[in-house]
Amino acid sequence: MAPVFNDKQIADVLEYVRILAKHRWFIAICTLMLTLLCTIAIAKLPNVYEATTTIQVDPQQVSEKYFTPVVSSDAYARLNTITQQVLSRSRLELIINDFKLYGGKRASFLPEELVAKMRDDIAIQVKQGAGPELSLFTITYRGSDPETVAEVANALAAGFIDWSVSSREQEVTGTKEFLSSELKEAKENLEQQEDKLRQFKMSHLGETPDQTANNFQALAGLRSALQANAEALNRLDQENILLTRLPEPVPTGAVAPAGLSERDALEIEKRQLEATIQQLRARYSDKYPDVIRARHRMDEIDDKLKNLPQDVPPDEKSDKDGPEESANAVRLELNEKEMRRLRDEQIRIQSQIAAYQAKVDVAPLREQQQVELTRNYEISKQHYQTLLDKSFSLGMAVDLEQTQKGERFTVLDAAQVPIKPVKPRRKMLIGLSVMFALGVSILGVLGRETMNPAIKTEVELKSMLPAGVRMVGLIPRIETPADSRWQRQSSVLAMLTCILLGLAEAGVLWRIHFLL
């Protein structure tokens, strides 16, 4: 629905139009004068120049498929770290002093404020490449002198490159030192574990699990030798009995004749039982059933021997067979020597069996101890091998950094001396100043007329009259010839003033046209 205007509103609008038309020259002069003043002020604003350096991030030239880099591959993180280093107070103060920046502000600004001002004048913008990796970033610096701005931008770019190389070298060097110390410590630990394992094996020879099979084999051989020894002793014992009981010598290993006395048979059986008990004790304990039966039979033979009458001693026999008894005595003496040797050998074999049996018995304990030592040794060995592989990889990383084959920052476009300033934006400011001057002039005229208490329109007069009062008529403004001449002269003077102000504005614009 279209808005409805009453007579008073329409009259007010027409009155405003009439006022603006009446004071058109005043509005024009004020607008041009304010525009001229604003243009002069804009022309005097300090110029701000901007120089930009583009730095390219060159990726690692060696494929990560064949080599894993030691330096962090996150270019964004490294760029953030390098930015903090380059924009540090010491670095910026050095640049400020080298290029004598902010000369007019050094007397009134503190060093911290100058550094903060320079940080505000520096802008770093990252430009994403085709992939997820960082490809380009720009460093922009703003200042009042174009040549200095370009030099500072290039100096900041050089600082980024230097700090990038330095940070990569420091990271590689720090990693190398740390890895060297860890590798040395791991090697010492591995040598300690090797020494412990070697000492354990040397101090427990034959007791380790890998020697158990050999121990069992040795035990089997020793038991066979013990059995053979017992059989030999048994044969010699039987031969001695035969030599002492028979009138003629009996060959070694001969079987006793059927007419042997009961005492001789029991003594032969007793010696056989003693040999059997010795063999059984070499393998089993005293509670083994066969050992118990043999000992029981031994006790029975001892009881029978005690109850039998004593045989006639050999000294009481007749000496009619003197040569034969002499031969038997020699044979007996030889058998006794052999029996002593066999008994000594039997003691030695039994001691060896006991030693090997002790090694077999202690093998489970040694196995548990060796497993713990071996586990610690394998862990130390694996840790040392891992660090050694990383050390080789780090050596290649050092070579890669030294040959500049890793990721690098290179200047793609160096900063050039700017021709025009980027601030202030004088074209926009001048356009805004024209609108501002026109608005202020119009508002000034309307404000002055509004403040004037005179009645200006018929509608306003009618609204002020009481009800029932009628207007008889309107008397128009009467202009005299003097008034007409004054208006013509004022218009000419205002026109000339506008022309002069326009020329002045054009002159100022011409002076600053190269900055627009």
Side-chain angles (χ1 to χ4, degrees):
M1 183 175 179
V4 178
F5 298 97
N6 54 32
D7 295 339
K8 186 175 186 306
Q9 292 176 341
I10 295 174
D12 291 340
V13 171
L14 293 176
E15 180 62 19
Y16 290 148
V17 173
R18 186 188 66 81
I19 293 173
L20 294 178
K22 178 181 177 181
H23 298 89
R24 61 185 178 276
W25 291 113
F26 177 78
I27 293 174
I29 292 172
C30 290
T31 301
L32 290 174
M33 185 174 296
L34 290 175
T35 302
L36 179 61
L37 294 176
C38 291
T39 304
I40 294 173
I42 292 171
K44 291 184 176 296
L45 289 176
N47 295 327
V48 177
Y49 294 90
E50 184 180 271
T52 302
T53 302
T54 302
I55 299 178
Q56 182 178 6
V57 181
D58 294 330
Q60 181 175 294
Q61 299 182 14
V62 180
S63 176
E64 294 186 4
K65 180 179 179 181
Y66 306 101
F67 169 73
T68 302
V70 178
V71 181
S72 174
S73 59
D74 190 354
Y76 289 96
R78 292 200 302 106
L79 177 60
N80 185 32
T81 302
I82 295 172
T83 301
Q84 299 299 325
Q85 294 172 343
V86 173
L87 299 184
S88 61
R89 175 179 175 178
S90 59
R91 176 67 178 172
L92 294 183
E93 284 183 348
L94 182 62
I95 295 177
I96 291 173
N97 295 328
D98 290 342
F99 293 97
K100 296 180 174 57
L101 303 178
Y102 312 111
K105 299 180 180 180
R106 290 192 177 186
S108 57
F109 279 60
L110 296 175
E112 294 81 1
E113 295 175 339
L114 293 177
V115 170
K117 178 68 172 61
M118 187 171 184
R119 286 175 181 163
D120 294 336
D121 294 336
I122 298 173
I124 300 175
Q125 183 179 4
V126 178
K127 296 183 179 180
Q128 185 72 31
E133 295 82 9
L134 175 64
S135 59
L136 296 174
F137 67 93
T138 59
I139 302 174
T140 303
Y141 177 70
R142 293 180 178 180
S144 59
D145 184 66
E147 295 182 357
T148 305
V149 165
E151 293 176 356
V152 171
N154 290 326
L156 290 173
F160 266 83
I161 295 174
D162 293 341
W163 275 104
S164 175
V165 175
S166 176
S167 65
R168 292 179 70 90
E169 290 179 353
Q170 289 178 0
E171 188 170 353
V172 170
T173 303
T175 306
K176 183 178 180 181
E177 292 177 355
F178 173 76
L179 191 59
S180 298
S181 62
E182 289 294 319
L183 186 63
K184 182 179 179 182
E185 184 177 352
K187 184 178 180 182
E188 293 176 354
N189 188 20
L190 179 61
E191 290 176 350
Q192 292 177 0
Q193 296 299 329
E194 289 177 347
D195 187 60
K196 289 181 180 179
L197 188 59
R198 182 173 58 255
Q199 291 179 1
F200 175 80
K201 290 183 177 181
M202 293 297 294
S203 59
H204 302 92
L205 289 175
E207 297 178 1
T208 55
D210 54 347
Q211 296 293 325
T212 303
N214 296 332
N215 292 336
F216 278 118
Q217 185 177 0
L219 278 174
L222 290 172
R223 285 166 180 167
S224 299
L226 182 62
Q227 184 176 1
N229 183 281
E231 291 175 354
L233 281 172
N234 190 21
R235 288 195 300 269
L236 291 174
D237 197 14
Q238 292 179 8
E239 184 178 358
N240 288 343
I241 293 173
L242 293 175
L243 289 175
T244 56
R245 298 300 181 183
L246 296 178
E248 293 181 359
V250 181
T252 304
V255 181
L260 190 64
S261 65
E262 184 179 1
R263 177 179 290 277
D264 295 337
L266 291 174
E267 289 181 355
I268 292 174
E269 186 179 359
K270 179 179 178 181
R271 287 177 173 79
Q272 290 177 350
L273 287 173
E274 289 178 351
T276 302
I277 291 173
Q278 290 179 353
Q279 293 177 3
L280 291 175
R281 284 180 174 176
R283 296 185 179 182
Y284 311 107
S285 64
D286 293 339
K287 295 182 180 181
Y288 194 70
D290 291 344
V291 177
I292 295 174
R293 284 196 296 269
R295 293 181 63 183
H296 183 67
R297 179 58 183 167
M298 178 73 72
D299 294 338
E300 291 178 353
I301 293 173
D302 290 339
D303 293 338
K304 289 182 179 181
L305 289 174
K306 290 179 181 179
N307 296 326
L308 289 176
Q310 294 292 331
D311 293 337
V312 179
D315 296 338
E316 297 179 359
K317 293 183 180 180
S318 59
D319 296 335
K320 60 181 178 178
D321 297 328
E324 295 178 358
E325 292 180 358
S326 177
N328 290 340
V330 172
R331 185 64 179 172
L332 287 172
E333 184 178 358
L334 293 175
N335 288 347
E336 288 296 331
K337 291 182 179 180
E338 181 65 16
M339 290 178 68
R340 285 195 298 270
R341 185 188 68 81
L342 290 175
R343 290 191 183 96
D344 293 339
E345 183 179 359
Q346 189 179 52
I347 295 173
R348 180 180 61 82
I349 293 174
Q350 290 176 349
S351 65
Q352 290 180 354
I353 290 175
Y356 277 102
Q357 187 64 43
K359 291 180 180 180
V360 171
D361 295 339
V362 82
L365 177 60
R366 300 296 180 237
E367 182 179 7
Q368 183 179 0
Q369 295 174 348
Q370 186 175 358
V371 165
E372 184 177 359
L373 291 173
T374 305
R375 182 174 60 249
N376 296 335
Y377 169 73
E378 291 297 333
I379 293 174
S380 300
K381 182 180 179 181
Q382 184 178 2
H383 180 58
Y384 176 74
Q385 186 63 41
T386 302
L387 292 177
L388 191 62
D389 295 339
K390 290 182 180 180
S391 178
F392 291 151
S393 178
L394 182 61
M396 290 188 291
V398 173
D399 295 337
L400 193 70
E401 294 299 327
Q402 291 176 351
T403 55
Q404 296 294 314
K405 298 295 183 182
E407 185 181 79
R408 295 179 300 168
F409 290 166
T410 57
V411 176
L412 186 62
D413 293 326
Q416 303 296 327
V417 178
I419 299 176
K420 292 184 178 181
V422 294
K423 287 184 180 181
R425 298 180 180 180
R426 289 185 169 84
K427 288 184 178 180
M428 182 183 68
L429 293 177
I430 290 174
L432 294 175
S433 66
V434 172
M435 291 188 290
F436 171 76
L438 180 61
V440 169
S441 300
I442 292 174
L443 291 176
V445 170
L446 294 178
R448 190 186 66 176
E449 290 297 329
T450 303
M451 298 290 292
N452 189 359
I455 299 174
K456 303 175 184 64
T457 62
E458 179 182 356
V459 176
E460 183 180 358
L461 179 60
K462 288 181 179 181
S463 63
M464 296 177 63
L465 294 176
V469 178
R470 298 177 58 188
M471 295 180 59
V472 178
L474 296 173
I475 300 175
R477 178 182 176 82
I478 301 175
E479 294 184 357
T480 62
D483 293 335
S484 300
R485 287 196 303 272
W486 168 250
Q487 289 181 358
R488 287 195 298 272
Q489 292 175 358
S490 299
S491 299
V492 171
L493 181 60
M495 185 180 298
L496 292 176
T497 303
C498 290
I499 292 172
L500 291 176
L501 291 174
L503 292 175
E505 178 71 17
V508 174
L509 293 176
W510 175 257
R511 292 291 300 273
I512 64 173
H513 76 282
F514 60 93
L515 298 177
L516 297 177

